[in-house]
Amino acid sequence: MPDQPIHIAIIGGSLGGCSLALGLHLLKRQDITFDVFEAWSFSERGAGVGVHPNGQNSLRELGLDVDALLARAGAFREKTTEAVVAYGEHEGEYLMELPPMGIQCVLRKTLLDEMVKLLPEERLHANKKLVTVEEGERMVLQFEDGTSYEADAVVGCDGLRSTVRGFILGKDDPAVPPKFTGYWDARAFMMAEDSREAWGDDIVQYDNPREYYKVGEGCTMLFASAPKGHLGGVVVAGAAGPEEMDMVDNSKKPLTREFLEKKLSGWGKPYVKGVIDSLLNPDCGPGILFGEYESQDAPTWCKDRMCIMGDAAHAALPWMGQGFSMAAEDAAIMTALLGAVSSRGHVEQAFRAFDKQRRGPGGRPDFVVKKGAQVAALCAGQKGLDPSTALQGLDHMPDLFVHLWEGDIKKEIQSAVDAFEGFKSS
């Protein structure tokens, strides 16, 4: 037990930040308290999320009844992920087929709503945009609304454009801003019954919920085929051409029919019009073309009693679907490390241990960043549409996913705790 109570400020109240908050809450330690500060409201603005087996196991390590949580949020189990050639000589041939491993698909908003219900209301602070952190015996956080808060440690869970990342690295460090990956996407979501009418019953199969890529040259459609009564979706994504390279500086811009018809002009399939109509329907999606960004390599994820995790530390391309599951792993490891702290003075060593376990080559987040680029190139059609040549020079796709799904979170936690003990004694 710490010699003095330790107060943790969690910056960011999305899925990653609330996962860490739940972990600390379920420690049931009177001497470790937390507060979550969210710049906006505790409501997700994204769409669906896949909770992969490694993410589910990490949430269990926090002490959550994961199946009950996901059921309350309206999740369904996905049977498989498939990627097939959309048209041409090799139409229908497989580029990738993943084994069924129990991925649960759920709306980000409903999952976050259910997580927030499990947290003490008095620990959740909305509309708190962090401006500065003054370091001293205690850390003083100043917010845009003029309020302040004192803490013993700060964990930044504030996403791709993290403010805390800038405090750790220095606001002018070139590794602070994310970098454009050269990919874009557009998204739409609707009930399974409506999506089947729009895209066809060969794509939306109620008894076969799956992620289903139709791959064309430089562009792909990813269908989230859902069972009846659930929300299905489609993502059209691709490699940026010269006209999209302005997304280096602009992460999103209005989506137009002209853009979509140009990108999909060679497909010649009946479902294309239904997909375009869905993407431009304001009842189905935001009507925005998003650039896909990832974190730059950083020399550290911590400084003194500040640390970052989740997308604030290691945002990756979304093509492996591991964003939330990696954040859940982070939360499980961070909770265990903070639970092992017996003195305020040991918080820094806990953060150094987290940094050692998760950052850099060999870490699981780095694996997602590096291997996700292979998945993107394949599924965006950049490797061509002939499976016999497209797969050359790539890792065996199912092995990459299974490696992540079968990750041993208990081993990860023990390795981090061992590093913490080593830092304490050095």
Side-chain angles (χ1 to χ4, degrees):
M1 179 177 292
D3 49 12
Q4 294 177 301
I6 297 175
H7 304 283
I8 311 294
I10 300 172
I11 307 301
S14 190
L15 293 175
C18 284
S19 295
L20 176 58
L22 282 168
L24 296 177
H25 178 57
L26 293 171
L27 283 177
K28 299 188 183 301
R29 291 269 297 271
Q30 298 297 318
D31 51 326
I32 297 181
T33 63
F34 66 90
D35 285 273
V36 186
F37 299 95
E38 167 55 40
W40 310 107
S41 63
F42 286 85
S43 178
E44 275 284 0
R45 290 162 291 281
V49 61
V51 188
H52 290 231
N54 55 305
Q56 295 173 42
N57 290 335
S58 298
L59 294 175
R60 290 188 183 96
E61 282 297 311
L62 297 176
L64 290 166
D65 184 337
V66 175
D67 290 332
L69 172 68
L70 291 172
R72 291 195 301 273
F76 65 88
R77 288 187 180 274
E78 175 187 297
K79 287 189 176 180
T80 186
T81 298
E82 303 169 346
V84 301
V85 178
Y87 54 81
E89 178 184 355
H90 299 280
E91 180 177 343
E93 293 183 26
Y94 278 86
L95 291 165
M96 179 175 71
E97 184 176 18
L98 304 183
M101 291 289 286
I103 297 172
Q104 297 208 46
C105 301
V106 65
L107 283 177
R108 299 179 71 93
K109 181 185 185 305
T110 57
L111 177 56
L112 183 63
D113 288 346
E114 292 301 323
M115 295 173 78
V116 167
K117 289 176 185 177
L118 300 175
L119 290 167
E121 186 176 354
E122 66 273 15
R123 296 298 181 192
L124 305 176
H125 311 278
N127 301 308
K128 294 291 182 181
K129 187 174 182 179
L130 183 64
V131 177
T132 62
V133 176
E134 299 172 6
E135 296 187 68
E137 183 176 347
R138 303 201 73 199
M139 309 182 80
V140 180
L141 287 66
Q142 302 285 349
F143 297 96
E144 192 175 63
D145 63 1
T147 61
S148 62
Y149 174 85
E150 291 189 1
D152 299 300
V154 174
V155 182
C157 305
D158 49 341
L160 178 69
R161 301 181 188 280
S162 168
T163 298
V164 180
R165 184 183 180 98
F167 294 151
I168 291 171
L169 299 178
K171 65 175 182 166
D172 296 323
D173 191 290
V176 171
K179 63 182 179 182
F180 181 48
T181 62
Y183 294 95
W184 55 265
D185 66 61
R187 314 154 194 174
F189 295 84
M190 61 178 71
M191 296 302 295
E193 294 84 347
D194 296 326
S195 66
R196 185 166 181 163
E197 182 177 346
W199 311 328
D201 55 14
D202 60 327
I203 290 174
V204 181
Q205 301 173 0
Y206 297 144
D207 60 349
N208 184 27
R210 58 184 174 161
E211 289 190 342
Y212 186 39
Y213 285 96
K214 291 274 196 177
V215 180
E217 291 185 3
C219 186
T220 190
M221 294 184 186
L222 170 58
F223 297 93
S225 173
K228 276 187 176 180
H230 291 268
L231 203 68
V234 63
V235 178
V236 175
E243 64 271 31
E244 291 88 54
M245 289 313 294
D246 61 344
M247 302 194 91
V248 170
D249 300 310
N250 301 294
S251 61
K252 56 187 179 182
K253 58 184 183 180
L255 183 66
T256 66
R257 184 173 296 275
E258 179 185 12
F259 172 85
L260 291 168
E261 289 179 346
K262 180 179 179 181
K263 292 296 182 182
L264 300 170
S265 61
W267 286 52
K269 297 299 176 183
Y271 53 80
V272 170
K273 182 180 183 303
V275 168
I276 292 175
D277 289 344
S278 301
L279 291 168
L280 296 173
N281 185 338
D283 293 329
C284 299
I288 291 173
L289 184 69
F290 294 94
E292 294 184 357
Y293 288 73
E294 66 183 10
S295 300
Q296 301 194 69
D297 290 339
T300 184
W301 291 347
C302 65
K303 175 188 175 186
D304 302 327
R305 288 171 289 152
M306 285 190 290
C307 192
I308 49 175
M309 55 167 266
D311 279 354
H314 49 74
L317 282 166
W319 298 71
M320 296 191 82
Q322 278 285 326
F324 173 53
S325 294
M326 283 291 112
E329 288 188 12
D330 286 352
I333 294 166
M334 186 69 79
T335 296
L337 286 167
L338 291 173
V341 167
S342 59
S343 167
R344 284 182 180 176
H346 290 155
V347 170
E348 182 178 347
Q349 286 86 354
F351 287 166
R352 288 174 61 198
F354 177 85
D355 181 77
K356 179 180 179 181
Q357 184 65 32
R358 299 295 280 175
R359 184 179 58 82
R364 285 170 60 79
D366 185 67
F367 183 93
V368 174
V369 170
K370 299 296 191 295
K371 303 304 183 181
Q374 290 191 28
V375 179
L378 178 68
C379 291
Q382 290 176 288
K383 302 291 289 183
L385 302 183
D386 180 350
S388 66
T389 57
L391 296 168
Q392 291 179 6
L394 300 179
D395 291 298
H396 186 236
M397 290 292 125
D399 290 348
L400 299 183
F401 286 85
V402 171
H403 169 76
L404 291 169
W405 295 341
E406 293 183 344
D408 188 341
I409 188 61
K410 292 183 184 293
K411 184 177 179 181
E412 287 270 309
I413 288 171
Q414 188 58 58
S415 179
V417 171
D418 288 346
F420 169 61
E421 295 297 336
F423 286 135
K424 279 202 309 180
S425 61
S426 62

